[in-house]
């Protein structure tokens, strides 16, 4: 007699070369070509297509170091276009939400799914269906690893990356030691550089060796987190999914400037822009903020001009997600910390102590609040339809000279009608 098995099943869905895949979506000419995407201000290589990897271009390398290979092989280079990647990420996550109730969006291109409600026999097929659906609906290729714990699903994902099918399930495999033996200890989820050194010193070089170490040893010699990792490698789930019902606690928008900024006016325009972005973000998640932090700093590498870094936190009497109030607070904060005579390189705004805005109506809510909420909603809707910053506040400025250096940007904005691709018929 056989029973249908319903064990715990966690899938890690990871988008392949995510930024490159986003650029390719709107530019079919580069589908089969080597492509790389650069970090802010065109500094380092942060995403590579398979073809670029095959040329030996390394992840995280400064662009100038790889320039020879890039020019010689006609590698397509793109500046990062975060509004495009952010939007595509939301589309992928929305698609994934269709499959189950438990999802943890882990990063811009990764999510854990709880697939425990599917049986052991069908799980691999479910994985394949998820992969096909994401590809069909968003155009983004993914790799999916499925296992009993988060740590093992990361391992499975590692293997899936190299497989044609893109899906690997470790569910139902009795002995996973041969698989774990091939996973280097520093590739195990949660094992950083320090811990790797420590494990190496103690003769642990791969995941199998950590799994088979006695729990007492792991506990005694390192910390609670490492023993959780060891347990997870044994198939005992210790790290729960942080699902969307446990909403985010803070929202940060910060950028490095393409050129140094010195005047109060320019700095103000930048931070007001970040404040607007952050307010829009929390409104879209029905959250309101009670604490606003603004921070500015100069480059730590330009000693000639002196280093300065400061922040100011403002606590509001009542939570809000109203752009006007948030911008007012940010400008107040900036006035306190701004110092003349410095060349600023980075600034940012953080909204924290976030709470559900739907039940933040209080005794002091008035008709005026209602009107402001409606105004915010129309701004968001308009910007969604006609492109970011169609409607904004005057204090955000009009000419943004300090914006990121983005020499090779594809300039695609999925929230902007003007950058829709055009199709020519012959
Ligand atoms: Mg990825």
């Amino acid at each position: 007699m056989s029973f249908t098995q319903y064990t715990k099943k966690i899938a890690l869905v990871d988008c392949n070369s995510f930024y490159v895949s986003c650029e390719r979506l709107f530019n079919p000419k580069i589908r089969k070509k080597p492509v790389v995407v650069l970090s802010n201000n065109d500094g380092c290589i942060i995403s590579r297509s398979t073809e670029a990897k095959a040329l030996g271009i390394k992840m995280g390398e400064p662009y100038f170091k790889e320039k020879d290979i890039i020019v010689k092989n006609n590698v397509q280079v793109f500046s990062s276009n975060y509004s495009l990647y952010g939007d595509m990420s939301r589309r992928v996550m929305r698609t994934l939400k269709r499959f189950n109730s438990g999802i943890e969006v882990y990063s811009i291109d990764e999510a854990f799914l709880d697939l425990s409600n599917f049986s052991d026999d069908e799980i691999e097929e479910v994985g394949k269906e998820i992969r096909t659906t994401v590809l069909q609906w968003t155009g983004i290729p993914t790799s999916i690893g499925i296992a009993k714990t988060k740590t093992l699903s990361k391992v499975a994902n590692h293997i899936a990356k190299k497989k044609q099918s893109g899906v690997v399930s470790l569910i139902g495999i009795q002995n996973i030691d041969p698989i774990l033996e091939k996973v280097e200890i520093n590739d195990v989820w949660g094992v950083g550089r320090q811990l790797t050194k420590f494990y190496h010193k103690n003769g642990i070089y791969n995941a199998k060796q950590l799994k088979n170490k006695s729990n007492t040893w792991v506990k005694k010699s390192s910390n609670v987190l490492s023993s959780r990792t060891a347990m997870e490698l044994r198939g005992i789930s210790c790290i729960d999914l942080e699902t969307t019902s446990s909403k985010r606690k803070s929202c940060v928008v910060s950028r490095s400037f393409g050129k140094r900024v010195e005047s109060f006016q320019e700095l103000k325009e930048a931070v007001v822009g970040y404040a607007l972005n952050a307010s829009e973000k929390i409104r879209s998640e029905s959250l309101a903020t009670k604490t606003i932090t603004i921070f500015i700093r100069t480059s730590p590498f330009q000693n000639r001009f002196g280093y300065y870094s400061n922040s100011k936190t403002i606590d509001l009497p009542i939570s809000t997600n109203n752009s006007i109030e948030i911008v007012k607070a940010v400008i107040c904060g900036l006035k306190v910390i701004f110092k003349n005579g410095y060349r600023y390189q980075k600034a940012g705004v953080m909204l924290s102590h976030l709470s559900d805005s739907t039940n933040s109506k209080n005794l002091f809510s008035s008709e005026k609040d209602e009107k402001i909420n409606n105004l915010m909603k129309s701004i968001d809707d308009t910007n969604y339809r006609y492109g970011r910053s169609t409607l904004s506040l005057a204090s955000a400025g009009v000419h943004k000279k300090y914006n990121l250096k983005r020499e090779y940007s594809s300039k695609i904005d999925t929230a902007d009608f003007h950058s829709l691709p055009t199709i020519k018929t012959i």
Side-chain angles (χ1 to χ4, degrees):
M1 204 162 72
S2 78
F3 295 96
T4 315
Q5 291 265 325
Y6 285 91
T7 47
K8 182 146 186 149
K9 294 170 199 75
I10 294 169
L12 175 67
V13 183
D14 184 41
C15 302
N16 300 345
S17 314
F18 182 54
Y19 300 164
V20 166
S21 299
C22 291
E23 295 291 349
R24 279 180 165 168
L25 265 182
F26 297 93
N27 193 348
K29 272 187 266 173
I30 59 164
R31 289 260 156 102
K32 300 255 182 275
K33 295 202 175 125
V35 182
V36 296
V37 173
L38 306 177
S39 63
N40 277 347
N41 295 320
D42 298 341
C44 299
I45 290 159
I46 49 167
S47 184
R48 303 161 301 160
S49 69
T50 325
E51 298 80 3
K53 285 176 197 169
L55 289 171
I57 296 174
K58 285 191 218 77
M59 185 70 171
E61 270 307 87
Y63 172 46
F64 70 87
K65 270 196 177 173
E66 302 281 352
K67 211 157 182 178
D68 285 348
I69 311 183
I70 287 174
V71 173
K72 213 170 102 194
N73 295 283
N74 195 20
V75 177
Q76 308 291 308
V77 179
F78 290 89
S79 303
S80 38
N81 179 349
Y82 285 107
S83 57
L84 170 65
Y85 311 151
D87 187 36
M88 288 317 301
S89 168
R90 276 188 292 276
R91 293 187 199 190
V92 169
M93 300 309 167
R94 222 180 294 145
T95 309
L96 292 178
K97 278 177 194 156
R98 298 275 297 233
F99 285 92
N100 78 324
S101 45
I103 174 167
E104 174 187 343
V105 177
Y106 185 64
S107 72
I108 191 163
D109 73 331
E110 282 171 284
F112 288 106
L113 300 181
D114 187 345
L115 300 178
S116 306
N117 49 344
F118 294 100
S119 77
D120 288 19
D121 307 330
E122 60 183 342
I123 196 66
E124 197 159 334
E125 276 315 303
V126 172
K128 284 180 186 158
E129 201 190 316
I130 293 176
R131 192 177 184 278
T132 317
T133 311
V134 173
L135 189 63
Q136 233 169 40
W137 291 11
T138 70
I140 300 288
T142 55
S143 300
I144 302 182
I146 308 166
K148 283 186 200 164
T149 69
K150 273 176 151 181
T151 308
L152 286 175
S153 75
K154 277 266 185 186
V155 170
N157 194 281
H158 216 72
I159 308 167
K161 284 243 166 66
K162 291 168 205 143
K163 284 221 164 165
Q164 189 73 35
S165 71
V167 180
V168 165
S169 164
L170 303 182
I171 301 288
I173 298 180
Q174 288 309 318
N175 181 15
I176 59 166
D177 278 7
I179 294 169
L180 294 183
E181 198 168 16
K182 289 188 203 127
V183 180
E184 284 182 36
I185 195 70
N186 57 308
D187 284 333
V188 173
W189 189 47
V191 177
R193 216 180 295 164
Q194 286 304 318
L195 211 49
T196 301
K197 266 192 216 158
F198 171 78
Y199 285 144
H200 280 178
K201 235 184 259 168
N202 288 279
I204 300 171
Y205 298 97
N206 61 49
K208 179 190 148 190
Q209 289 170 323
L210 179 61
K211 174 192 164 231
N212 293 335
K213 267 277 174 192
S214 85
N215 221 10
T216 5
W217 181 86
V218 180
K219 257 190 196 155
K220 233 196 318 197
S221 47
S222 42
N223 57 29
V224 187
L225 293 179
S226 337
S227 63
R228 282 205 310 191
T229 304
M231 295 284 270
E232 287 236 325
L233 288 173
R234 291 177 202 135
I236 301 155
S237 171
C238 304
I239 309 169
D240 282 336
L241 251 62
E242 287 171 30
T243 51
T244 32
S245 53
S246 51
K247 281 191 176 175
R248 63 152 109 204
K249 303 284 186 297
S250 66
C251 170
V252 184
V253 176
S254 72
R255 303 268 185 283
S256 297
F257 304 131
K259 73 171 190 63
R260 302 289 177 258
V261 168
E262 288 174 67
S263 77
F264 178 81
Q265 182 60 27
E266 265 188 284
L267 203 54
K268 187 184 91 178
E269 287 180 11
V271 295
V272 166
Y274 306 155
L276 289 173
N277 268 348
S279 332
E280 187 189 323
K281 225 179 244 177
I282 63 168
R283 279 201 297 276
S284 75
E285 293 172 30
S286 303
L287 294 167
T289 180
K290 198 153 183 328
T291 305
I292 301 171
T293 304
I294 147 142
F295 53 92
I296 52 175
R297 70 164 170 77
T298 61
S299 163
F301 305 110
Q302 285 203 328
N303 297 330
R304 216 152 46 92
F305 302 100
Y307 181 65
Y308 176 66
S309 160
N310 206 348
S311 69
K312 171 77 188 159
T313 296
I314 295 165
D315 279 308
L316 302 171
I318 299 164
S319 293
T320 184
N321 56 22
N322 171 349
S323 294
I324 299 166
E325 276 179 45
I326 292 170
V327 163
K328 257 193 215 159
V330 161
I331 296 175
C332 273
L334 183 65
K335 279 182 184 156
V336 177
I337 55 175
F338 177 80
K339 270 197 189 168
N340 250 323
Y342 287 102
R343 309 179 74 205
Y344 293 96
Q345 188 229 358
K346 190 172 186 169
V349 168
M350 178 167 88
L351 308 180
S352 49
H353 290 120
L354 300 179
S355 59
D356 204 330
S357 64
T358 42
N359 49 32
S360 73
K361 286 224 171 65
N362 57 58
L363 279 177
F364 308 104
S365 295
S366 62
E367 208 177 307
K368 193 177 139 219
D369 291 340
E370 200 59 32
K371 272 190 190 150
I372 285 174
N373 284 342
N374 288 337
L375 171 66
M376 291 300 127
K377 203 180 167 302
S378 3
I379 290 180
D380 292 346
D381 290 347
T382 310
N383 286 344
Y384 185 75
R385 286 189 56 188
Y386 300 106
R388 283 183 188 84
S389 339
T390 302
L391 284 183
S392 182
L393 299 189
S395 44
V398 191
H399 318 283
K400 295 195 172 133
K401 280 188 292 222
Y402 50 81
N403 261 354
L404 287 177
K405 196 168 134 199
R406 290 167 73 186
E407 223 174 294
Y408 315 101
S409 174
S410 54
K411 299 194 180 69
I412 294 158
D413 188 341
T414 40
D416 180 2
F417 271 144
H418 302 293
S419 58
L420 278 180
T422 42
I423 298 166
K424 285 184 193 136
T425 45
I426 314 164

